[in-house]
Amino acid sequence: MYSLYSWGSPFESEGLYSFDASCVSAQAYLQLCKAEWQLCHVNSTGISQNGCLPALLYKDSTIESGFWRTVQFLKTQGYNLDADLDEEQISQSTAYISMIQDGLVDSLLFSWYLVSENFVEATRPRLAKLFGFPLSLAIPTQLQDYAVRRLKAVGVSSEVENANTKDADDETMPGSLRSKLPRIYLLAKEGFRRHADKSTHPIYEQADQYLAALSKKLDKKQYFFGNKPTTLDTVAYGCLSLIVYVDLPQNTLKTTIVEKYSNLIAFCDRIHAQLTPPTIVSEQSFLGGMGSIVKHAISRYTNISTVPPNNKRANPDLPVQVRSVAGALFVFFGYIIYNGILSAPVSEQLPGVFTVIPDL
């Protein structure tokens, strides 16, 4: 039996078993290809070989991680949803999958994490309830940071830095000075803009083009390449289901699909009806979650230098960075020691061995 390690879900009542599009796609693929599998919910990427989820395990050994590599492995094991496609159709499938994963998913991340009203009133509370205290204080923000970095890499600004909402003083303020402003000031500014309407953001115009292309490709067919589901169908479902079945205060993407692309809604409903609740094994680890928090804190303040060894420049922010990392480690170890998560046994049979108490 295969074990699929995936982010958990605050949407199980809607029939969605992860908040991550790639994880939902992998779950749909395993169900549609009739593989024998179980779902393992985790709260960190520690199980993954390359630091991303989903991750596929077989006989207690990690096989592949990431949606595409997982699917490629399953195909070698005889679970190939694309077996009936010819070379041209496979090329088309690859192109549409890239469009969804590199384009439409970006608009989903923007809607969830960069629209302040959605993040504050919907995304963060749902994720906080999923992960529980104290992980709820850090993991939702980490996921938001990832979304911001990913979108900035393709030229999409976050809400606070959007060109349409910048204040005049922000335009003239040096970047180095702005970075030293108290965080509470920046959060307060964002809070005032929380209810700003972002439905006209350019990323939604791009998303509309992607949705139009998918709608045209699907047309009146059951699936994108006929009467049988393929990998493209699972990828499209993974993204579209998190738009169609999840309500947000500013739900621009869902409104666009409902008003213009009814065949995509019917497509989602068609696949959704075929998926049954999986066997779920919760492997969420408190220590694993706290470890990912500390790892994230360290990665934010350390990087690989691109300056030649003979031309190293002093980093004026190094003392602050070191204190921040040290503070995160102190809080982490202080918490687990204070709450008795890590304790020394009194048994004389195993002297000197520490016992890790299971998750609270």
Side-chain angles (χ1 to χ4, degrees):
M1 175 182 289
Y2 296 102
S3 296
L4 185 73
Y5 282 71
S6 163
W7 290 110
S9 173
F11 312 118
E12 290 190 10
S13 60
E14 286 81 15
L16 300 174
Y17 295 92
S18 180
F19 63 82
D20 179 77
S22 293
C23 292
V24 175
S25 297
Q27 295 168 22
Y29 191 99
L30 284 163
Q31 288 223 32
L32 293 176
C33 70
K34 310 300 182 183
E36 185 179 359
W37 69 292
Q38 65 179 5
L39 178 62
C40 300
H41 280 161
V42 294
N43 56 9
S44 73
T45 59
I47 192 69
S48 172
Q49 295 175 334
N50 56 8
C52 67
L53 295 175
L56 187 69
L57 275 73
Y58 182 61
K59 295 182 178 179
D60 298 327
S61 298
T62 304
I63 300 174
E64 294 294 353
S65 52
F67 171 79
W68 192 249
R69 296 174 67 176
T70 296
V71 167
Q72 292 298 98
F73 172 81
L74 289 172
K75 287 182 177 181
T76 66
Q77 303 301 302
Y79 300 107
N80 187 0
L81 293 180
D82 300 333
D84 296 332
L85 301 183
D86 56 34
E87 291 185 3
E88 181 180 355
Q89 290 174 323
I90 289 177
S91 297
Q92 292 178 4
S93 175
T94 302
Y96 279 103
I97 288 174
S98 297
M99 181 189 74
I100 295 171
Q101 293 182 333
D102 297 335
L104 195 56
V105 169
D106 284 349
S107 62
L108 176 64
L109 293 176
F110 179 90
S111 181
W112 278 28
Y113 296 104
L114 274 72
V115 177
S116 292
E117 185 175 6
N118 290 345
F119 181 71
V120 172
E121 298 184 10
T123 305
R124 184 166 60 191
R126 290 165 178 168
L127 294 178
K129 183 178 180 180
L130 172 66
F131 291 113
F133 180 84
L135 302 182
S136 59
L137 301 177
I139 294 182
T141 304
Q142 290 180 6
L143 294 171
Q144 185 187 46
D145 289 343
Y146 163 77
V148 170
R149 292 196 306 270
R150 169 170 168 157
L151 292 171
K152 280 187 175 181
V154 294
V156 178
S157 299
S158 67
E159 185 184 28
V160 175
E161 296 174 345
N162 188 290
N164 295 327
T165 59
K166 273 189 177 179
D167 292 336
D169 58 343
D170 289 338
E171 294 286 350
T172 59
M173 184 180 298
S176 59
L177 178 59
R178 187 179 187 278
S179 65
K180 297 185 185 330
L181 288 174
R183 179 168 175 78
I184 188 64
Y185 166 77
L186 299 177
L187 291 175
K189 286 185 63 179
E190 184 176 359
F192 286 123
R193 297 169 178 160
R194 194 173 89 188
H195 298 286
D197 183 9
K198 296 297 176 183
S199 61
T200 59
H201 193 281
I203 198 169
Y204 291 129
E205 297 178 9
Q206 297 176 0
D208 191 12
Q209 296 175 7
Y210 301 143
L211 292 169
L214 287 174
S215 179
K216 182 178 180 180
K217 175 63 179 175
L218 180 62
D219 199 20
K220 297 180 180 179
K221 302 188 296 292
Q222 282 192 315
Y223 304 103
F224 285 98
F225 290 103
N227 297 322
K228 293 182 179 180
T230 64
T231 303
L232 173 58
D233 296 284
T234 64
V235 174
Y237 172 80
C239 182
L240 293 175
S241 62
L242 292 173
I243 298 174
V244 173
Y245 301 131
V246 175
D247 291 325
L248 297 171
Q250 292 190 32
N251 219 344
T252 306
L253 289 173
K254 183 176 180 178
T255 300
T256 300
I257 296 177
V258 170
E259 293 180 351
K260 301 175 66 174
Y261 307 112
S262 59
N263 63 335
L264 293 181
I265 295 180
F267 162 81
C268 276
D269 292 341
R270 191 177 300 117
I271 290 187
H272 199 68
Q274 297 182 54
L275 305 182
T276 58
T279 301
I280 300 178
V281 178
S282 178
E283 296 199 10
Q284 300 189 55
S285 166
F286 174 81
L287 291 178
M290 289 299 294
S292 69
I293 292 174
V294 174
K295 182 178 179 181
H296 177 78
I298 294 174
S299 67
R300 290 188 64 184
Y301 296 109
T302 59
N303 54 19
I304 299 175
S305 175
T306 58
V307 181
N310 296 330
N311 296 313
K312 288 187 176 180
R313 295 190 295 267
N315 182 2
D317 297 325
L318 183 59
V320 176
Q321 296 173 355
V322 171
R323 287 196 298 270
S324 299
V325 174
L329 292 173
F330 178 79
V331 170
F332 169 59
F333 288 111
Y335 183 89
I336 64 175
I337 292 173
Y338 178 78
N339 287 275
I341 297 173
L342 188 65
S343 61
V346 296
S347 172
E348 297 180 356
Q349 297 179 355
L350 295 174
V353 179
F354 283 87
T355 300
V356 177
I357 298 176
D359 297 344
L360 299 177

